Amino acid sequence: YEPVMDEALARSDLFKNMFNRDEPAWPPGAWTPTDRPEWETSYLATQDLLDDYFNAGLDSRPYSCPLRFSENVSPEERLLLHFLLPSLAPMRSMAKQTLGAAWRAPDGVVPPEQMQNALQTVLSNAAHLQQGPTLIESLVGAAQRALSEENARWALHRGVFNSQESVQSAIDMLREKEVADPDPAHWVRMEHAAAMDVLQYLFQAEAPGGAPKLV
């Protein structure tokens, strides 16, 4: 995700749709390029990012975020407490841009395949995020999953899935992307490890094999 997220951050001013703006449009619904020229301009300007985001969601490798520390701490003194939380604003922007684009309907009708692909992309991204070691990644992943599922319900309500086949296909995809109830202990792995790292640092021995001593 790092290359596409870096590019998304650099082009953050381009994200404008029903979810990426100051006054969100809710509930979601179909929009046309002629009715929403600003959204259409944003859609066209971010097509390459949407494609990269889609491809990242298909990657089956385990997710991990770069390990970054404050520049004010020397390598010898680094603890997990100094770990810099990942910047997830681009992740949120890409999820919202993808779901906003899912409702694009040049002829007034949202293609069911377009909606399903968008939902699958954001749910795949959410699943990746929820593999991350920090609490914030789990929370953002959960928020993206909730937004996707809410859009799926509205798509069904508004007749986007307009045949038995498209409804069944969407249900099968949602079941495939469903995850088990979260384990809070899993969510706070980094926070727990950081606390243990601090304790180990505070009570380290003066010499190998020596007795622990408060620093």
Side-chain angles (χ1 to χ4, degrees):
Y1 284 98
E2 192 169 6
V4 66
M5 291 304 118
D6 287 345
E7 185 63 22
L9 183 61
R11 296 157 63 180
S12 59
D13 59 324
L14 298 178
F15 296 115
K16 296 177 183 177
N17 63 23
M18 66 178 69
F19 302 120
N20 275 315
R21 64 176 196 158
D22 294 335
E23 297 179 3
W26 195 263
W31 59 273
T32 66
T34 52
D35 289 340
R36 297 287 189 175
E38 188 178 31
W39 294 2
E40 178 68 6
T41 299
S42 174
Y43 169 79
L44 295 174
T46 57
Q47 267 295 285
D48 58 329
L49 291 176
L50 295 179
D51 290 341
D52 290 341
Y53 183 66
F54 171 78
N55 291 328
L58 297 177
D59 200 313
S60 60
R61 291 175 294 178
Y63 165 87
S64 65
C65 63
L67 193 62
R68 296 192 176 103
F69 290 93
S70 170
E71 296 179 356
N72 299 324
V73 180
S74 67
E76 295 77 17
E77 297 177 327
R78 284 177 180 170
L79 298 172
L80 289 179
L81 188 67
H82 302 133
F83 171 72
L84 296 179
L85 293 177
S87 175
L88 299 180
M91 287 283 199
R92 295 193 295 269
S93 294
M94 287 302 304
K96 293 176 181 179
Q97 188 75 359
T98 298
L99 292 173
W103 292 96
R104 181 176 180 270
D107 60 357
V109 178
V110 176
E113 299 83 3
Q114 173 179 286
M115 177 61 68
Q116 180 170 325
N117 286 341
L119 294 171
Q120 179 178 344
T121 298
V122 179
L123 288 171
S124 296
N125 171 258
H128 283 159
L129 274 179
Q130 291 182 294
Q131 295 173 18
T134 64
L135 175 60
I136 188 62
E137 287 167 304
S138 294
L139 294 177
V140 170
Q144 290 185 188
R145 180 173 297 280
L147 183 61
S148 299
E149 292 171 349
E150 187 73 6
N151 272 265
R153 288 189 286 270
W154 275 106
L156 180 63
H157 175 70
R158 295 194 184 282
V160 173
F161 302 117
N162 52 12
S163 67
Q164 183 61 40
E165 291 76 13
S166 64
V167 170
Q168 189 61 54
S169 179
I171 290 175
D172 290 343
M173 183 276 294
L174 291 170
R175 284 175 175 167
E176 179 185 346
K177 296 299 179 182
E178 188 175 2
V179 297
D181 291 337
D183 178 2
H186 174 85
W187 282 20
V188 294
R189 287 177 300 164
M190 176 62 77
E191 287 75 9
H192 180 73
M196 295 298 100
D197 198 25
V198 169
L199 284 175
Q200 183 174 349
Y201 173 79
L202 289 175
F203 293 95
Q204 61 184 312
E206 290 184 333
K213 181 178 180 180
L214 183 62
V215 174

